[in-house]
Amino acid sequence: MMETQTSPKDEVAEAVELELEAVIGFNGHVPTGLKCHPDQEHLVYPLGCTILIQAINTQEQNFLHGHGNNVSCVAISKSGLYVASGQVTFMGFKADIILWDYKKRELMARLSLHKGKIEALAFSPNDMYLVSLGGPDDGSVVVWSIAQREAICGSPAAGLNVGNATTVIFSRCRDEMFVTAGNGTIRVWELDLPNRKIWPTECQTGQMKRIVMSISMADDDSFFYLGTTTGDILKMNPRTKLLADTGPAKDKFSLGVSAISCLKMGGLLVGSGDGLLVFCKSPSYKPIKKIQLQGGITSITLRGEGHQFFVGTEESHIYRVNFTNFKETLITSCHFESVEDIVFPFGTAELFATCAKKDIRVWHTLTNRELLRITVPNMTCHGIDFMRDGKSIISAWDDGRIRAFAPETGRLMYVINNAHRIGVTAVATTSDCKRVISGGGEGEVRVWHIGHQIQKLEEALKEHKSSVSCIRVKKSNEECVTASTDGTCIIWDLVRLRRNQMILANTLFQCVCYHPEEFQIITSGTDRKIAYWEVFDGSVIRELDGSLSGAVNGMDITVEGVHFVTGGNDHLVKVWDYNEGEVTHVGVGHSGNITRIRISPGNQYIVSVTCCYPI
């Protein structure tokens, strides 16, 4: 997940809150998390602890902040007036459901009753009730009155001899009937409002035992369809509570039916765990139309009647599909693993590059669009840097190789094999484009000469005892500083290729920055302290508390040296006044640990990247 933060907005506890301008991300692990709003103009989906409302045509983003932890489910009322979202929390604590006013984009009510996690939510067809399903530690189903904003009644969601219920759907016509399903349980519930009770009826499936992953109701309530982990579809009658039919008999959907949606024109859209999107009809459920997408499908949401629909996958892709030609268009993509590093090319804020797990991606800053994707399968990229001339992206990989790619085409230009023994963990380039400095998991710092045809090792500097986490080079290219998790920062002379100074602290250093005037460096790490050091003799000048909780992982300083930014395990982006040592601005929005942070050339944007945690 990446966030772009700009410009101050309002006073919050002495520090001004940074305005969140754009988010590049989509959590494809939330079941049915992607929703198309009934106005047919907006997509609504969760990202960390934020709900994102994105205009389909203009890509304009609005954010709903209110959850204290990852959002686990989202529902939109049939009228489109309300949005409801549930979250996960720590075991034994209450997990909130938030009811939002869609038009005003503000919080209406906070509903707290369930513990641990909200598994699923559904609105009644006339916006009278909201039904919520608790997670495995809670196991209850609760019906809420939207007008009163309070619970009407609740009940255990499943019987004693079956597993947990994981999905819920309301009737399309009646406000008094809904269905829950899960591991070995399918129940139709009737709401008895005068007595404030809900009465369940277990649906009969005979000898068939299934774990339900997804559920969809026909427009006239004649049937509801259940997608299972086995890869077949059950068609149930809500009046008789009996199984109408099941299929497909052969060629079941691989990795289960993870998303299912009924079309008004008849037929079903089915998404499987291996990324196959199918249009089929009862009773055979054989594919009439099908396309293969990237990543397991977790959401299918219709735009209007279903002439066009959107599909969300586990690999954080959102596709737009037109029903008539059944062709997909990728409209949103992002990393689906923890983002390890981010870098801007020299002198321009128009693009930036990020790396996560097996791929490097180049993004357009203004539109948040992915311009290029470079993939190296089964490897992990730990760090990247642009050469000053912009002709190559240098990347550090866990297989011990340094790879250079062309930034426009993604073509592999050269590989330095066996650059480090225990993977390459950090990389930096000099401004004359003749050298690459790399750090490894074993603690060595190596200086490489980059020629037209040849890349050769100039020197291996063996001082660090643990992995090198960050490298910064002086403007003159005569000196660099390396931070390591062995508790040392070393300032190296790149002319004589030996150590100038060593800085020792009781911490695992994660980041280091030169002050633009280059007589001081600032460091931070797992001890949560931001330290200013003298380059000349390595003495500490001052120490600040960088965070109240968790390590500081990323740091960057403005070209003028007036401000610097930090981000870490407290999920906050902080802007500091360098001379005063005080926080001037705070950015809230991430729900994962911030791994790296950068200020764009020109100081217009701060871009921060995080670990992403599947729900």
Side-chain angles (χ1 to χ4, degrees):
M1 168 177 159
M2 281 161 276
E3 301 200 348
T4 310
Q5 314 237 7
T6 63
S7 60
K9 193 173 76 172
D10 56 315
E11 287 288 328
V12 180
E14 294 177 14
V16 182
E17 190 172 338
L18 285 170
E19 188 181 329
L20 185 58
E21 183 162 292
V23 171
I24 303 173
F26 165 62
N27 188 354
H29 293 277
V30 179
T32 68
L34 178 68
K35 303 278 185 191
C36 186
H37 192 270
D39 67 7
Q40 300 184 31
E41 295 296 320
H42 293 86
L43 289 175
V44 179
Y45 55 90
L47 187 63
C49 52
T50 309
I51 308 287
L52 226 116
I53 301 170
Q54 182 167 314
I56 295 166
N57 298 325
T58 63
Q59 303 294 312
E60 184 195 344
Q61 293 178 332
N62 294 108
F63 309 99
L64 303 177
H65 299 289
H67 287 288
N69 209 320
N70 286 346
V71 176
S72 55
C73 54
V74 177
I76 303 175
S77 66
K78 197 173 178 180
S79 66
L81 293 174
Y82 307 109
V83 175
S85 55
Q87 69 171 64
V88 291
T89 186
F90 305 103
M91 189 181 277
F93 290 88
K94 286 190 174 173
D96 288 346
I97 300 163
I98 296 182
L99 192 63
W100 308 89
D101 184 312
Y102 176 77
K103 278 191 177 148
K104 293 181 183 172
R105 308 281 202 265
E106 61 184 37
L107 188 148
M108 285 173 61
R110 197 179 283 272
L111 313 171
S112 296
L113 209 61
H114 295 286
K115 285 188 176 177
K117 179 183 180 182
I118 311 297
E119 198 75 56
L121 293 165
F123 280 97
S124 69
N126 298 314
D127 293 3
M128 290 176 69
Y129 311 114
L130 173 70
V131 64
S132 59
L133 198 57
D137 301 325
D138 183 80
S140 61
V141 60
V142 176
V143 179
W144 306 83
S145 164
I146 291 173
Q148 263 79 44
R149 295 170 200 172
E150 62 181 21
I152 297 170
C153 53
S155 171
L160 296 170
N161 56 346
V162 292
N164 299 310
T166 53
T167 57
V168 62
I169 195 163
F170 239 105
S171 152
R172 291 287 188 90
C173 310
R174 295 174 51 222
D175 280 322
E176 288 76 35
M177 190 259 283
F178 62 92
V179 181
T180 61
N183 186 350
T185 172
I186 304 165
R187 284 179 158 189
V188 178
W189 300 77
E190 290 286 340
L191 174 63
D192 181 0
L193 194 62
N195 297 320
R196 291 178 79 116
K197 286 268 194 300
I198 40 175
W199 304 106
T201 310
E202 199 75 45
C203 293
Q204 301 306 313
T205 54
Q207 295 295 308
M208 200 179 280
K209 294 282 185 284
R210 291 288 185 268
I211 300 170
V212 176
M213 295 175 82
S214 52
I215 186 167
S216 185
M217 182 78 71
D219 268 357
D220 56 358
D221 281 358
S222 54
F223 296 101
F224 60 92
Y225 299 85
L226 305 144
T228 70
T229 52
T230 315
D232 53 12
I233 298 162
L234 312 183
K235 181 180 176 181
M236 304 289 300
N237 188 320
R239 285 178 290 283
T240 62
K241 281 79 174 173
L242 296 174
L243 186 64
D245 65 46
T246 177
K250 290 180 182 174
D251 299 324
K252 294 192 181 352
F253 295 99
S254 180
L255 300 179
V257 178
S258 50
I260 190 166
S261 184
C262 290
L263 293 169
K264 276 194 178 174
M265 63 189 93
L268 295 170
L269 289 170
V270 176
S272 73
D274 73 340
L276 191 67
L277 178 69
V278 167
F279 171 63
C280 61
K281 286 186 177 177
S282 165
S284 70
Y285 300 102
K286 283 182 180 171
I288 300 166
K289 299 177 178 181
K290 65 178 181 180
I291 44 174
Q292 182 68 45
L293 304 178
Q294 205 172 330
I297 294 169
T298 51
S299 306
I300 298 173
T301 181
L302 305 181
R303 189 177 188 181
E305 305 285 305
H307 60 284
Q308 195 180 71
F309 54 93
F310 297 90
V311 181
T313 74
E314 279 180 348
E315 290 197 7
S316 301
H317 289 81
I318 299 175
Y319 294 94
R320 182 176 62 228
V321 184
N322 288 320
F323 181 77
T324 44
N325 63 4
F326 223 67
K327 289 276 192 297
E328 80 277 15
T329 307
L330 182 66
I331 58 166
T332 297
S333 67
C334 67
H335 293 292
F336 55 95
E337 300 278 355
S338 295
V339 187
E340 299 274 343
D341 201 0
I342 170 188
V343 64
F344 281 91
F346 176 74
T348 177
E350 281 185 28
L351 344 150
F352 61 91
T354 56
C355 66
K357 196 72 179 175
K358 64 180 182 181
D359 52 30
I360 298 167
R361 303 191 192 193
V362 178
W363 307 87
H364 188 243
T365 312
L366 292 175
T367 59
N368 310 323
R369 286 300 178 109
E370 184 183 319
L371 301 175
L372 175 71
R373 187 183 307 184
I374 301 162
T375 304
V376 181
N378 307 320
M379 300 299 163
T380 301
C381 184
H382 288 304
I384 48 173
D385 199 6
F386 277 101
M387 271 291 189
R388 177 67 72 96
D389 58 12
K391 291 180 181 174
S392 59
I393 299 171
I394 313 296
S395 54
W397 297 82
D398 68 341
D399 62 350
R401 292 183 172 100
I402 296 169
R403 292 177 172 89
F405 299 96
E408 290 182 0
T409 60
R411 176 180 62 86
L412 181 64
M413 294 171 71
Y414 60 82
V415 180
I416 302 175
N417 291 308
N418 305 315
H420 288 275
R421 279 184 295 117
I422 315 178
V424 190
T425 54
V427 71
T429 60
T430 58
S431 61
D432 59 8
C433 304
K434 290 181 180 174
R435 279 175 162 184
V436 168
I437 296 126
S438 63
E442 75 290 334
E444 280 191 27
V445 176
R446 293 188 170 187
V447 182
W448 305 87
H449 176 75
I450 307 298
H452 286 299
Q453 301 292 326
I454 196 163
Q455 304 82 40
K456 70 170 194 278
L457 178 66
E458 285 191 12
E459 190 62 75
L461 308 168
K462 303 177 183 180
E463 294 268 357
H464 289 300
K465 298 289 183 284
S466 187
S467 65
V468 177
S469 52
C470 187
I471 305 171
R472 293 290 171 103
V473 184
K474 218 172 179 179
K475 288 176 201 156
S476 65
N477 300 327
E478 292 175 1
E479 192 179 277
C480 76
V481 59
T482 57
S484 171
T485 52
D486 62 0
T488 64
C489 272
I490 298 177
I491 298 163
W492 304 93
D493 185 323
L494 292 178
V495 178
R496 295 182 301 133
L497 296 170
R498 59 187 60 187
R499 187 182 91 188
N500 267 358
Q501 280 300 336
M502 181 186 274
I503 290 160
L504 283 163
N506 189 17
T507 179
L508 280 67
F509 283 116
Q510 298 292 346
C511 46
V512 62
C513 278
Y514 271 107
H515 185 273
E517 292 178 12
E518 298 180 338
F519 52 80
Q520 290 177 4
I521 56 169
I522 46 172
T523 62
S524 197
T526 51
D527 65 349
R528 311 195 304 273
K529 296 271 193 293
I530 296 168
Y532 295 47
W533 308 84
E534 196 71 64
V535 170
F536 173 68
D537 60 357
S539 60
V540 64
I541 300 164
R542 74 183 333 176
E543 271 194 349
L544 310 169
D545 281 324
S547 162
L548 294 174
S549 61
V552 177
N553 301 323
M555 179 187 279
D556 200 16
I557 194 162
T558 59
V559 182
E560 300 78 26
V562 179
H563 292 94
F564 66 94
V565 292
T566 61
N569 294 3
D570 62 356
H571 310 168
L572 299 173
V573 173
K574 292 179 182 173
V575 181
W576 300 75
D577 185 299
Y578 188 88
N579 291 330
E580 298 296 323
E582 288 180 355
V583 178
T584 59
H585 300 76
V586 175
V588 182
H590 284 297
S591 60
N593 295 342
I594 296 170
T595 50
R596 281 283 183 261
I597 189 164
R598 292 276 181 168
I599 300 167
S600 69
N603 299 347
Q604 192 178 356
Y605 304 107
I606 300 164
V607 183
S608 52
V609 296
T610 64
C611 300
C612 50
Y613 298 116
I615 302 298

